[in-house]
PDB file of all heavy atoms in Angstrom:
ATOM      1  N   ASP A 305     154.302  71.375  75.007  1.00 69.00           N
ATOM      2  CA  ASP A 305     155.633  71.594  75.627  1.00 69.00           C
ATOM      3  C   ASP A 305     155.991  73.011  75.592  1.00 69.00           C
ATOM      4  O   ASP A 305     157.027  73.346  76.183  1.00 69.00           O
ATOM      5  CB  ASP A 305     156.695  70.759  74.931  1.00 69.00           C
ATOM      6  CG  ASP A 305     156.432  69.154  75.257  1.00 69.00           C
ATOM      7  OD1 ASP A 305     155.747  68.921  76.283  1.00 69.00           O
ATOM      8  OD2 ASP A 305     156.821  68.405  74.439  1.00 69.00           O
ATOM      9  N   ILE A 345     171.349  70.239  71.289  1.00 87.00           N
ATOM     10  CA  ILE A 345     170.499  71.011  72.058  1.00 87.00           C
ATOM     11  C   ILE A 345     169.037  70.382  72.052  1.00 87.00           C
ATOM     12  O   ILE A 345     168.387  70.241  73.135  1.00 87.00           O
ATOM     13  CB  ILE A 345     170.349  72.459  71.493  1.00 87.00           C
ATOM     14  CG1 ILE A 345     171.740  73.215  71.592  1.00 87.00           C
ATOM     15  CG2 ILE A 345     169.287  73.274  72.114  1.00 87.00           C
ATOM     16  CD1 ILE A 345     171.748  74.513  71.067  1.00 87.00           C
ATOM     17  N   LEU A 346     168.662  69.967  70.914  1.00 88.00           N
ATOM     18  CA  LEU A 346     167.413  69.261  70.887  1.00 88.00           C
ATOM     19  C   LEU A 346     167.396  68.021  71.739  1.00 88.00           C
ATOM     20  O   LEU A 346     166.369  67.695  72.468  1.00 88.00           O
ATOM     21  CB  LEU A 346     166.992  68.771  69.433  1.00 88.00           C
ATOM     22  CG  LEU A 346     166.941  69.909  68.416  1.00 88.00           C
ATOM     23  CD1 LEU A 346     166.581  69.398  67.060  1.00 88.00           C
ATOM     24  CD2 LEU A 346     165.673  70.866  68.845  1.00 88.00           C
ATOM     25  N   ASP A 347     168.490  67.168  71.827  1.00 88.00           N
ATOM     26  CA  ASP A 347     168.454  66.072  72.622  1.00 88.00           C
ATOM     27  C   ASP A 347     168.455  66.267  74.049  1.00 88.00           C
ATOM     28  O   ASP A 347     167.783  65.754  74.900  1.00 88.00           O
ATOM     29  CB  ASP A 347     169.708  65.186  72.344  1.00 88.00           C
ATOM     30  CG  ASP A 347     169.728  64.574  70.890  1.00 88.00           C
ATOM     31  OD1 ASP A 347     168.588  64.465  70.396  1.00 88.00           O
ATOM     32  OD2 ASP A 347     170.829  64.199  70.408  1.00 88.00           O
ATOM     33  N   ALA A 348     169.171  67.447  74.448  1.00 87.00           N
ATOM     34  CA  ALA A 348     169.171  67.958  75.929  1.00 87.00           C
ATOM     35  C   ALA A 348     167.769  68.298  76.329  1.00 87.00           C
ATOM     36  O   ALA A 348     167.331  68.010  77.413  1.00 87.00           O
ATOM     37  CB  ALA A 348     170.214  68.916  76.119  1.00 87.00           C
ATOM     38  N   ALA A 349     167.139  69.074  75.510  1.00 85.00           N
ATOM     39  CA  ALA A 349     165.851  69.668  75.749  1.00 85.00           C
ATOM     40  C   ALA A 349     164.834  68.440  75.842  1.00 85.00           C
ATOM     41  O   ALA A 349     163.963  68.444  76.688  1.00 85.00           O
ATOM     42  CB  ALA A 349     165.360  70.669  74.729  1.00 85.00           C
ATOM     43  N   GLY A 350     164.994  67.500  74.954  1.00 86.00           N
ATOM     44  CA  GLY A 350     164.132  66.266  74.941  1.00 86.00           C
ATOM     45  C   GLY A 350     164.210  65.533  76.199  1.00 86.00           C
ATOM     46  O   GLY A 350     163.246  65.015  76.733  1.00 86.00           O
ATOM     47  N   ARG A 351     165.498  65.329  76.646  1.00 87.00           N
ATOM     48  CA  ARG A 351     165.636  64.507  78.003  1.00 87.00           C
ATOM     49  C   ARG A 351     164.923  65.230  79.063  1.00 87.00           C
ATOM     50  O   ARG A 351     164.357  64.651  79.991  1.00 87.00           O
ATOM     51  CB  ARG A 351     167.154  64.287  78.201  1.00 87.00           C
ATOM     52  CG  ARG A 351     167.766  63.332  77.233  1.00 87.00           C
ATOM     53  CD  ARG A 351     169.225  62.864  77.799  1.00 87.00           C
ATOM     54  NE  ARG A 351     170.063  63.957  77.709  1.00 87.00           N
ATOM     55  CZ  ARG A 351     170.801  64.362  76.682  1.00 87.00           C
ATOM     56  NH1 ARG A 351     170.751  63.589  75.563  1.00 87.00           N
ATOM     57  NH2 ARG A 351     171.652  65.365  76.612  1.00 87.00           N
ATOM     58  N   LEU A 352     165.027  66.698  79.068  1.00 84.00           N
ATOM     59  CA  LEU A 352     164.414  67.408  80.181  1.00 84.00           C
ATOM     60  C   LEU A 352     162.923  67.333  80.145  1.00 84.00           C
ATOM     61  O   LEU A 352     162.213  67.058  81.175  1.00 84.00           O
ATOM     62  CB  LEU A 352     164.893  68.845  80.061  1.00 84.00           C
ATOM     63  CG  LEU A 352     164.511  69.784  81.151  1.00 84.00           C
ATOM     64  CD1 LEU A 352     165.115  69.308  82.516  1.00 84.00           C
ATOM     65  CD2 LEU A 352     164.855  71.119  80.878  1.00 84.00           C
ATOM     66  N   ILE A 353     162.310  67.446  79.016  1.00 82.00           N
ATOM     67  CA  ILE A 353     160.895  67.532  78.913  1.00 82.00           C
ATOM     68  C   ILE A 353     160.234  66.130  79.137  1.00 82.00           C
ATOM     69  O   ILE A 353     159.136  66.068  79.443  1.00 82.00           O
ATOM     70  CB  ILE A 353     160.397  68.097  77.539  1.00 82.00           C
ATOM     71  CG1 ILE A 353     158.963  68.687  77.665  1.00 82.00           C
ATOM     72  CG2 ILE A 353     160.557  67.151  76.382  1.00 82.00           C
ATOM     73  CD1 ILE A 353     158.852  69.978  78.491  1.00 82.00           C
ATOM     74  N   GLN A 354     161.023  65.191  78.923  1.00 81.00           N
ATOM     75  CA  GLN A 354     160.461  63.781  79.158  1.00 81.00           C
ATOM     76  C   GLN A 354     160.044  63.599  80.555  1.00 81.00           C
ATOM     77  O   GLN A 354     159.177  62.781  80.892  1.00 81.00           O
ATOM     78  CB  GLN A 354     161.522  62.706  78.739  1.00 81.00           C
ATOM     79  CG  GLN A 354     161.717  62.548  77.339  1.00 81.00           C
ATOM     80  CD  GLN A 354     160.579  61.813  76.735  1.00 81.00           C
ATOM     81  OE1 GLN A 354     159.835  61.138  77.321  1.00 81.00           O
ATOM     82  NE2 GLN A 354     160.365  61.912  75.354  1.00 81.00           N
ATOM     83  N   LYS A 355     160.605  64.330  81.463  1.00 79.00           N
ATOM     84  CA  LYS A 355     160.210  64.220  82.906  1.00 79.00           C
ATOM     85  C   LYS A 355     158.932  64.886  83.257  1.00 79.00           C
ATOM     86  O   LYS A 355     158.381  64.772  84.345  1.00 79.00           O
ATOM     87  CB  LYS A 355     161.339  64.885  83.753  1.00 79.00           C
ATOM     88  CG  LYS A 355     162.659  64.194  83.667  1.00 79.00           C
ATOM     89  CD  LYS A 355     163.737  64.890  84.494  1.00 79.00           C
ATOM     90  CE  LYS A 355     165.130  64.246  84.118  1.00 79.00           C
ATOM     91  NZ  LYS A 355     165.234  62.841  84.447  1.00 79.00           N
ATOM     92  N   ASN A 356     158.355  65.631  82.349  1.00 75.00           N
ATOM     93  CA  ASN A 356     157.105  66.235  82.547  1.00 75.00           C
ATOM     94  C   ASN A 356     155.959  65.289  82.237  1.00 75.00           C
ATOM     95  O   ASN A 356     155.749  64.748  81.156  1.00 75.00           O
ATOM     96  CB  ASN A 356     156.993  67.459  81.521  1.00 75.00           C
ATOM     97  CG  ASN A 356     155.786  68.289  81.944  1.00 75.00           C
ATOM     98  OD1 ASN A 356     154.849  67.952  82.705  1.00 75.00           O
ATOM     99  ND2 ASN A 356     155.705  69.559  81.175  1.00 75.00           N
ATOM    100  N   GLU A 357     155.126  65.010  83.303  1.00 71.00           N
ATOM    101  CA  GLU A 357     154.055  64.051  83.070  1.00 71.00           C
ATOM    102  C   GLU A 357     152.848  64.674  82.327  1.00 71.00           C
ATOM    103  O   GLU A 357     152.159  63.908  81.711  1.00 71.00           O
ATOM    104  CB  GLU A 357     153.611  63.658  84.466  1.00 71.00           C
ATOM    105  CG  GLU A 357     154.532  62.851  85.344  1.00 71.00           C
ATOM    106  CD  GLU A 357     154.886  61.463  84.715  1.00 71.00           C
ATOM    107  OE1 GLU A 357     153.979  60.873  84.092  1.00 71.00           O
ATOM    108  OE2 GLU A 357     156.045  60.944  84.832  1.00 71.00           O
ATOM    109  N   ARG A 359     151.896  65.960  79.469  1.00 73.00           N
ATOM    110  CA  ARG A 359     152.259  66.259  78.069  1.00 73.00           C
ATOM    111  C   ARG A 359     151.109  65.686  77.212  1.00 73.00           C
ATOM    112  O   ARG A 359     150.541  64.632  77.485  1.00 73.00           O
ATOM    113  CB  ARG A 359     153.561  65.714  77.675  1.00 73.00           C
ATOM    114  CG  ARG A 359     154.715  66.067  78.574  1.00 73.00           C
ATOM    115  CD  ARG A 359     155.967  65.464  77.993  1.00 73.00           C
ATOM    116  NE  ARG A 359     156.449  65.965  76.673  1.00 73.00           N
ATOM    117  CZ  ARG A 359     157.217  65.260  75.752  1.00 73.00           C
ATOM    118  NH1 ARG A 359     157.587  64.102  76.128  1.00 73.00           N
ATOM    119  NH2 ARG A 359     157.444  65.796  74.650  1.00 73.00           N
ATOM    120  N   ARG A 362     151.284  62.182  75.744  1.00 71.00           N
ATOM    121  CA  ARG A 362     150.850  60.946  76.723  1.00 71.00           C
ATOM    122  C   ARG A 362     149.403  60.853  76.905  1.00 71.00           C
ATOM    123  O   ARG A 362     149.046  59.861  77.458  1.00 71.00           O
ATOM    124  CB  ARG A 362     151.573  61.277  78.083  1.00 71.00           C
ATOM    125  CG  ARG A 362     153.143  61.237  77.934  1.00 71.00           C
ATOM    126  CD  ARG A 362     153.743  61.266  79.300  1.00 71.00           C
ATOM    127  NE  ARG A 362     155.278  61.265  79.151  1.00 71.00           N
ATOM    128  CZ  ARG A 362     156.073  61.279  80.179  1.00 71.00           C
ATOM    129  NH1 ARG A 362     155.614  61.350  81.497  1.00 71.00           N
ATOM    130  NH2 ARG A 362     157.394  61.211  80.052  1.00 71.00           N
ATOM    131  N   VAL A 384     176.020  73.125  81.127  1.00 87.00           N
ATOM    132  CA  VAL A 384     175.294  73.349  82.303  1.00 87.00           C
ATOM    133  C   VAL A 384     176.170  73.644  83.563  1.00 87.00           C
ATOM    134  O   VAL A 384     177.167  72.864  83.804  1.00 87.00           O
ATOM    135  CB  VAL A 384     174.347  72.260  82.619  1.00 87.00           C
ATOM    136  CG1 VAL A 384     173.638  72.499  83.845  1.00 87.00           C
ATOM    137  CG2 VAL A 384     173.500  71.887  81.442  1.00 87.00           C
TER     138      VAL A 384
END
Side-chain angles (χ1 to χ4, degrees):
D305 292 338
I345 294 176
L346 295 177
D347 291 343
R351 288 192 294 271
L352 184 64
I353 201 67
Q354 282 291 337
K355 300 180 185 297
N356 189 351
E357 293 294 331
R359 302 182 69 203
R362 296 185 178 182
V384 180

